[in-house]
Amino acid sequence: RMNNLFFVAEVLGSGVADAQVLVDELNKSEHRAAPESGKVWEIRFRDVSTRYCRTSIDGEERVSVVSVPDFVFGPGAAMLIGPNGKGKSTSLRLIAGLLPYSGSLTFMTPEGAIELRDYDARSLSVYSSQSNAPLESSTVLSLFGDATEEEARRAWTWGAVPDGVAPDQRLVDCSGGERRLVFNAAAMCAAEKSHVLLLDEPTNDLDQQNIDLMIAGLDTFAASHPEVIIILVSHERKLLEKGYRTIEM
């Protein structure tokens, strides 16, 4: 599983110290442990909405309310598309268990249906956000958590991580494009166990050559893991042309 601390920091676009506060809160929460299998074969949204504070350009905090259409996601790749501000990234954060919500967000598992708000969702999905935070002195390999060397090497290929990136290299010393590929690779590695992969603008900061390599790697991952639910948010034309299921928001 991807290292939880670095996962939360990257999602929030924050430093590791700030992320540690949230991780500690999650660890002490009364949420029930996720089902032992960690497998999810369907995700169902019904009447879901969420409220959260945003700081506007003028520095004022404002409450935003986002309502999410009723979705059902199963194995295979799906893309959320539509204008900015319609809740695409918010939907991924909801699935990752990072936002409170009203309504019903259900994960169907071998142990039965579970309502996400009642569980610690960190082992059920993995979310690579668009923040691309350098995570201070953290190394590339540290993102892969408890993955074996073989698992990490496979993911390195799926993510199209350049040969010039070393496992012990600090993320802060990687270029923006290299960090994006490393985050994608670590997320795919974790998704082998969680069975839900959430990618938010996975081609950000990439040049055209690396976009092509990243898409080819994602195709390879999806073909070899037909049981994994993959949900993407992207404006990249070549991803839109892949023929994935698309959901307009």
Side-chain angles (χ1 to χ4, degrees), residues 36 111 139 149 169 213:
E36 187 173 344
E111 291 82 358
T139 65
E149 182 178 352
Q169 186 170 334
L213 291 172

mmCIF file of all heavy atoms in Angstrom, residues 36 111 139 149 169 213:
data_model
loop_
_atom_site.group_PDB
_atom_site.id
_atom_site.type_symbol
_atom_site.label_atom_id
_atom_site.label_comp_id
_atom_site.label_asym_id
_atom_site.label_seq_id
_atom_site.Cartn_x
_atom_site.Cartn_y
_atom_site.Cartn_z
ATOM 1 N N GLU A 36 -11.370 -6.987 5.375
ATOM 2 C CA GLU A 36 -10.045 -7.598 5.328
ATOM 3 C C GLU A 36 -9.550 -7.823 3.906
ATOM 4 O O GLU A 36 -8.372 -7.686 3.621
ATOM 5 C CB GLU A 36 -10.074 -8.924 6.087
ATOM 6 C CG GLU A 36 -8.713 -9.560 6.253
ATOM 7 C CD GLU A 36 -8.763 -10.774 7.158
ATOM 8 O OE1 GLU A 36 -9.776 -10.942 7.879
ATOM 9 O OE2 GLU A 36 -7.800 -11.559 7.132
ATOM 10 N N GLU A 111 -17.293 -8.778 1.273
ATOM 11 C CA GLU A 111 -17.931 -8.912 2.584
ATOM 12 C C GLU A 111 -19.310 -8.265 2.632
ATOM 13 O O GLU A 111 -19.984 -8.308 3.650
ATOM 14 C CB GLU A 111 -17.036 -8.289 3.668
ATOM 15 C CG GLU A 111 -15.759 -9.053 3.938
ATOM 16 C CD GLU A 111 -14.643 -8.731 2.944
ATOM 17 O OE1 GLU A 111 -14.876 -7.928 2.019
ATOM 18 O OE2 GLU A 111 -13.552 -9.279 3.098
ATOM 19 N N THR A 139 12.029 10.576 -0.322
ATOM 20 C CA THR A 139 12.649 9.966 -1.492
ATOM 21 C C THR A 139 11.597 9.319 -2.391
ATOM 22 O O THR A 139 10.462 9.077 -1.974
ATOM 23 C CB THR A 139 13.666 8.889 -1.083
ATOM 24 O OG1 THR A 139 12.963 7.821 -0.429
ATOM 25 C CG2 THR A 139 14.716 9.466 -0.140
ATOM 26 N N GLU A 149 10.190 -5.219 -3.817
ATOM 27 C CA GLU A 149 11.011 -4.689 -4.904
ATOM 28 C C GLU A 149 10.417 -5.053 -6.261
ATOM 29 O O GLU A 149 10.393 -4.224 -7.180
ATOM 30 C CB GLU A 149 12.444 -5.229 -4.804
ATOM 31 C CG GLU A 149 13.372 -4.681 -5.874
ATOM 32 C CD GLU A 149 14.800 -5.181 -5.729
ATOM 33 O OE1 GLU A 149 15.105 -5.829 -4.714
ATOM 34 O OE2 GLU A 149 15.608 -4.925 -6.650
ATOM 35 N N GLN A 169 16.525 9.005 -4.818
ATOM 36 C CA GLN A 169 16.518 10.434 -5.167
ATOM 37 C C GLN A 169 15.420 11.156 -4.396
ATOM 38 O O GLN A 169 14.307 10.638 -4.221
ATOM 39 C CB GLN A 169 16.272 10.586 -6.673
ATOM 40 C CG GLN A 169 16.373 12.010 -7.198
ATOM 41 C CD GLN A 169 16.354 12.043 -8.717
ATOM 42 O OE1 GLN A 169 16.744 11.071 -9.361
ATOM 43 N NE2 GLN A 169 15.902 13.138 -9.286
ATOM 44 N N LEU A 213 3.969 7.828 -23.306
ATOM 45 C CA LEU A 213 4.495 6.718 -22.513
ATOM 46 C C LEU A 213 3.603 6.428 -21.311
ATOM 47 O O LEU A 213 3.345 5.271 -20.965
ATOM 48 C CB LEU A 213 5.918 7.031 -22.054
ATOM 49 C CG LEU A 213 6.984 7.058 -23.145
ATOM 50 C CD1 LEU A 213 8.304 7.582 -22.586
ATOM 51 C CD2 LEU A 213 7.180 5.663 -23.735
#
